[in-house]
Every structure is written in C-alpha cells, then in structure tokens.
Amino acid sequence: MRTMPITRISFANLVDLIAHVFAAHGMTSSNAAIVAQVVAGAERDGTLSHGLLRVPGYVSTLKSGWVDGRAVPRVVGSQPGMVVVDACNGFAQVALVAGRNELISKSRICGVAALAIRNSHHFASVYPDVEPLAEQGLVALAFLNSRSRLVPSGGTSKLFGSNPMAFACPRADGPALVFDQASSIMAQGEVLLAAQHERTLPEGVGVDSAGRATTDPKAILEGGALLPFGGHKGSSIALMVELLAAAVTGGEFGFEDASGAFPGAQSSRAGQLIIAIDPDKGAGARFRHRVEELLIRICGNGSARLPGERRLKAREEANRLGVPVEQDALDRVRALLPAA
C-alpha cells in the first residue's frame, strides 16, 4: 500500500524519463527504450516491487561493469521448434525482442516452440515477457532463474534463485489472462520494498545469515535467504525452473553467480526459457470458449477473482489519470540524471 505523497505522470513521460536515465549510464538508446518500457509498465500496473524501486539497481549494475548496456543479442541457434539467443551479457528483455518474432512464427508452424535465452540479465517482472504472446493468440509460459536466494527444502543455505515463472492465455472476451509468481513465499522485490519502507515481514518468508527465522527484510537481504512456498513442493518447483531456465538454455545456475567481483551489481546473469503454444493447433476454435467456461465459474465462486485483475484495474486507471508515483521515488530517479 502506498503511504508516501503521490504525484501522477503520463506513462509516455515516465518511459522517457527512465530511458534517459539508462542511456545516461551506458545503455544504447534502443536498449534503454526496451527496458524502460518494462520498468514503467510495472509501476503503471501497480507492481511496485519491479517499478521505480529498481531503477537505482539498474544504474548501479551498469556502473559496476557487470552488465553490458550496449550489448547486441545474437540468434545463435534455430531449429524447427527452438530459437536460441545469446544476450551477450545484456538485458534479457532486449534478447527477447530479438527472438520473439521467430518464436511466434515457429509456434504457428509447429504448434509449439521455445525461445532459450542465455548470458542475460533479468531484473524485472516476468509477466511482460509473455503478455505480448497472448495478445498474438498464443498460450505462453516463461521460466527464469536468478542468483541463489532460496533455501531448498531441508537445506541450510541458499542454493536456488527465487526462480519466477509466468503464464499468459488469450481469451474470447476481455484481456488475456496473465500472471507471474516466484518460487519463494515472497518475491525478492517485495522484500526490497518492505526494507525500503521499514516494514516487517510475515513469519515464514525467510531466514537470516545464521539460518534463523526472521521477519526483518534487511536480515534476509543482507546474507540471509528466502524460503520456498509450500515447503518441499515449492522447492521442487524452484528446482524445475532452475533446470529449465539454466540447464536447457545453456545459462548459469544461481550458485554460479560471479557478481561479487563487481561492487554494486544487483542483477543476475542467468537464463530464461519461454514456451509458446498455438491453441488453434489443439482445440481449435473451441479453445477460447473453453477458457471462458472455466473463468466464468471461477468468478462465480464466492469472492474468488482472476489472477491479474488488480493489475489490469491499476493499468486502466493509470492510462486515464496518469501513473501514480511516490514523489520520493520519482525524485530519486530524476537525481540519477547527470547535471545539466
């Protein structure tokens, strides 16, 4: 919940501001525009843990030399059902743009296709990676690993990343159904947000550097670790994501993270796997109607709501009135611009 003074800014102006900050710290204008769109979109959609809160982290990571803001991704492999993109130590969103059209084309031909991204840095929400695919009529899944942040079930120290996954599905009526979630009880970005606002966390989110349960977000972030959702079941999901996002793509596992040699680096140099399915090759014209049958029953089941409803409501309001932004957060981003 927002508790600071709020101002409103148009989405286009917010994208432009963030892109200028990124470009001022070493990104090409084209790369900056792609990544800024994702960051501003998270703020617009109310996903504050991956919005303006993250901009200083992008800048410190760029300044550290850990990520190459000028990287030009390369398509290094292309099979009937697979596209492989080397992000060349750049941001994953730029690599996704480089391979997305071919992914869509292959999924139309084969019914299903995958995009494997490696040597990339992802520091944002995952739902923007799959939403455009659903808007093209495809069902999409994304799996992303990160540096070690999560203790496996029964373990004593962090090993897996928070390892988020995302899902997107087109509908007959209304916007696509889109959601993402971490393999941890709480996403690392939410812990960052709690630390910034000096809030304690619920029990069971993480442990401190000594492996003791803690509700202090700073203790988790400074040498501690997150816990998987659902105990051993969430731990198994995190393992699955690690294998899909790192082993299948040729990326790095979380425990192979080498960012410690680059002070200020906050992103993870890891991998991402995106799978696109053309439902017309399966259920055909019945697919969207079948989706609606299920969603109608969910909405009629007590107070249940569909995943992403709050995000879409926030987006619609922001498009009408401007993106609501904490003034302090906006000031911090503006302060990252070089003096005129």
Side-chain angles (χ1 to χ4, degrees):
M1 181 180 296
R2 297 178 186 269
T3 58
M4 304 288 183
I6 301 298
T7 187
R8 288 189 180 266
I9 180 173
S10 74
F11 180 67
N13 286 345
L14 186 59
V15 172
D16 188 59
L17 170 63
I18 297 169
H20 274 84
V21 169
F22 290 163
H25 292 279
M27 293 183 70
T28 61
S29 58
S30 58
N31 288 0
I34 292 170
V35 180
Q37 187 86 14
V38 175
V39 177
E43 192 74 20
R44 174 201 61 198
D45 294 350
T47 311
L48 306 186
S49 59
H50 289 81
L52 293 186
L53 171 73
R54 296 279 186 165
V55 175
Y58 277 99
V59 170
S60 64
T61 302
L62 286 162
K63 291 171 69 175
S64 75
W66 172 236
V67 63
D68 183 1
R70 309 187 70 82
V72 178
R74 296 183 298 113
V75 176
V76 296
S78 183
Q79 301 296 325
M82 176 80 80
V83 187
V84 182
V85 177
D86 187 334
C88 297
N89 199 37
F91 287 105
Q93 292 83 4
V94 181
L96 171 56
V97 170
R100 185 163 56 204
N101 286 342
E102 191 170 353
L103 170 67
I104 293 172
S105 176
K106 289 181 183 298
S107 68
R108 299 272 191 235
I109 295 169
C110 300
V112 59
L115 170 61
I117 299 173
R118 61 181 181 233
N119 200 14
S120 68
H121 295 257
H122 204 295
F123 200 51
S125 293
V126 189
Y127 74 85
D129 299 349
V130 293
E131 188 170 26
L133 297 173
E135 290 170 351
Q136 293 290 320
L138 301 172
V139 175
L141 302 96
F143 305 94
L144 172 72
N145 76 309
S146 67
R147 68 174 68 171
S148 295
R149 295 191 178 107
L150 188 148
V151 180
S153 180
T156 57
S157 61
K158 58 187 178 183
L159 177 64
F160 302 137
S162 52
N163 289 8
M165 65 214 82
F167 176 78
C169 180
R171 297 180 56 185
D173 301 306
L177 177 74
V178 185
F179 63 86
D180 68 10
Q181 64 182 56
S183 298
S184 51
I185 291 178
M186 182 177 289
Q188 195 248 6
E190 294 292 340
V191 179
L192 283 169
L193 197 63
Q196 185 184 84
H197 289 269
E198 299 183 343
R199 296 196 299 261
T200 57
L201 298 171
E203 296 282 350
V205 170
V207 296
D208 62 18
S209 58
R212 298 171 300 209
T214 181
T215 59
D216 181 357
K218 292 182 179 179
I220 295 173
L221 295 169
E222 297 170 3
L226 296 165
L227 295 173
F229 74 84
H232 68 279
K233 294 183 179 181
S235 183
S236 296
I237 296 293
L239 168 61
M240 178 191 73
V241 174
E242 194 84 24
L243 291 171
L244 289 172
V248 171
T249 65
E252 296 180 350
F253 291 119
F255 66 83
E256 295 175 315
D257 176 62
S259 62
F262 296 82
Q266 295 186 29
S267 66
S268 300
R269 184 172 178 173
Q272 183 176 18
L273 183 71
I274 299 174
I275 300 171
I277 303 167
D278 184 352
D280 291 340
K281 298 293 193 296
R286 296 181 62 243
F287 169 75
R288 287 173 176 76
H289 298 294
R290 294 288 288 161
V291 171
E292 293 306 317
E293 284 181 30
L294 176 59
L295 299 186
I296 288 170
R297 287 182 177 271
I298 293 173
C299 293
N301 195 328
S303 60
R305 62 181 177 83
L306 298 180
E309 280 188 1
R310 285 186 296 186
R311 184 182 69 250
L312 291 174
K313 182 178 179 181
R315 182 183 299 180
E316 188 276 331
E317 181 181 287
N319 288 339
R320 284 190 298 108
L321 305 175
V323 181
V325 177
E326 292 180 358
Q327 186 63 53
D328 286 353
L330 195 60
D331 291 343
R332 282 193 294 271
V333 171
R334 286 172 172 157
L336 295 170
L337 289 168

